[in-house]
Amino acid sequence: MTIEQIQGDEYAIEYDRAAHAVRLSGTVRLQTSDDYAPITALLQRAHDEAAGGPLSLDFRRLQFLNSSGISTVSRFVINARKQDQVALTVLGNRDIYWQQKSLGNLQKLWPKVQIEIV
Amino acid sequence: MSQIQTYGAWEEPGAAPALSHQWMALDAGQLVAHWRRCSLSADFWARYAALFVPSPAPPGRLARQELEHVLSYLLNELFENCAKFSGGSIGAVRFAAWFRPDSLDFAFTNHIAPESQPAFARFIEELLDGDPEELYFRRLEESAETGAKGSGLGYLTMIKDYGIRFGFRFEPVADDSVAVTVQAHVHLEENQG
């Protein structure tokens, strides 16, 4: 089992290859799109390795994401829609208010996305 | 120098009585150099302001924790904008908050070079005149297509997902500097959207 991790000062992003899951935690409020590039690359790699099967994005421990981060995740979902190769599930946390309010936007970008807010 | 111009839900700060008023002075260059100060300032003021509402919240009002989340997102976006979009000879940033019985009102003032004003004004007009839902998804699709940053997404999220209203004001303060104030009006009722 391999787990690949991007560790920041206030966040961690973990790609669990065996589980086909990318888990985000903490507060992700990076400055520039260059700062987001490693996250975009990790998501893309997880996507490509999950092709033909399921992939989950787990936001349940993600307290905050700024608009640059929302944009990064949204572009990933649009690109996944265009390729149409994975069954994408997004996991959210009902106690984290922005997730209740904004995670549904990802499904509007790609109606095949499953959103599970628990 | 041109005149003062206002857009959207601009309200003269002293027009309505406030229960309390706070402010803080910062510097745009320092926010860029120490980026996490944006997030730290947002979290501080979000918690500070949210203590203003009783817990548990009265029926129909946002719960304290929800309000804190909304404010942290909102204020972080606006501190980040002050850092990212300052220019010209003046780097001063001013944050101000007014707590009122039914709303929390915030104002962020930073400074831009005069030549940046027309593009910013066009952006504001598009933001205020368009359908935020349509604009949000169009911007994202364009950004996925072109690799552009999807500008305005922060404002669109705040308008569309949280029902926050914005006002804007440009005031020339020197030959090479225009003060830009962004007001954000947060209603304390629960937004069913």
Side-chain angles (χ1 to χ4, degrees), chain A residues 5-65:
Chain A
Q5 199 174 42
I6 299 173
Q7 182 72 52
D9 286 321
E10 293 175 288
Y11 66 91
I13 295 159
E14 193 179 272
Y15 169 34
D16 182 340
R17 192 169 268 118
H20 301 291
V22 178
R23 304 185 189 104
L24 299 88
S25 59
T27 291
V28 184
R29 288 172 166 169
L30 308 184
Q31 189 164 4
T32 65
S33 41
D34 283 353
D35 294 333
Y36 275 103
I39 298 177
T40 302
L42 185 89
L43 288 170
Q44 195 54 50
R45 203 157 53 250
H47 170 274
D48 294 346
E49 291 176 5
L55 175 67
S56 72
L57 292 186
D58 186 344
F59 291 92
R60 287 174 298 179
R61 292 193 298 131
L62 185 64
Q63 285 297 316
F64 288 110
L65 186 65

Side-chain angles (χ1 to χ4, degrees), chain B:
Chain B
M1 278 189 278
S2 56
Q3 296 297 306
I4 291 173
Q5 283 182 292
T6 61
Y7 300 83
W10 178 264
E11 292 170 12
E12 286 309 317
L19 300 170
S20 71
H21 171 50
Q22 285 79 29
W23 64 272
M24 175 169 81
L26 301 96
D27 177 83
Q30 290 289 307
L31 288 176
V32 171
H34 308 285
W35 183 250
R36 283 163 62 204
R37 286 183 178 171
C38 294
S39 179
L40 178 67
S41 305
D43 288 347
F44 169 78
W45 285 109
R47 294 188 71 177
Y48 189 100
L51 289 176
F52 172 73
V53 304
S55 183
R61 293 286 183 117
L62 272 178
R64 183 184 284 171
Q65 201 199 354
E66 293 170 350
L67 180 65
E68 195 180 309
H69 269 108
V70 174
L71 295 180
S72 181
Y73 181 79
L74 165 78
L75 301 180
N76 180 64
E77 291 297 319
L78 296 176
F79 278 117
E80 286 190 5
N81 285 348
C82 287
K84 283 194 283 192
F85 301 114
S86 286
S89 60
I90 300 176
V93 169
R94 185 184 163 97
F95 162 85
W98 292 264
F99 300 163
R100 301 193 162 99
D102 297 315
S103 70
L104 302 176
D105 300 302
F106 299 94
F108 286 76
T109 301
N110 69 321
H111 298 80
I112 60 172
E115 56 268 28
S116 305
Q117 184 177 333
F120 193 8
R122 277 196 302 277
F123 165 75
I124 290 167
E125 282 168 343
E126 190 181 16
L127 189 70
L128 296 173
D129 296 344
D131 169 359
E133 183 89 9
E134 187 272 329
L135 202 52
Y136 177 89
F137 291 107
R138 177 153 54 88
R139 281 283 162 88
L140 279 174
E141 294 289 345
E142 285 168 1
S143 124
E145 202 61 47
T146 63
K149 280 189 256 166
S151 64
L153 211 65
Y155 280 113
L156 288 165
T157 311
M158 296 184 278
I159 294 170
K160 180 176 100 58
D161 294 347
Y162 302 113
I164 292 167
R165 295 177 312 120
F166 288 96
F168 301 86
R169 181 179 191 266
F170 292 102
E171 181 185 10
V173 289
D175 283 345
D176 60 354
S177 184
V178 177
V180 181
T181 300
V182 178
Q183 286 183 342
H185 308 290
V186 183
H187 277 270
L188 295 171
E189 295 99 37
E190 215 160 355
N191 172 18
Q192 299 302 329

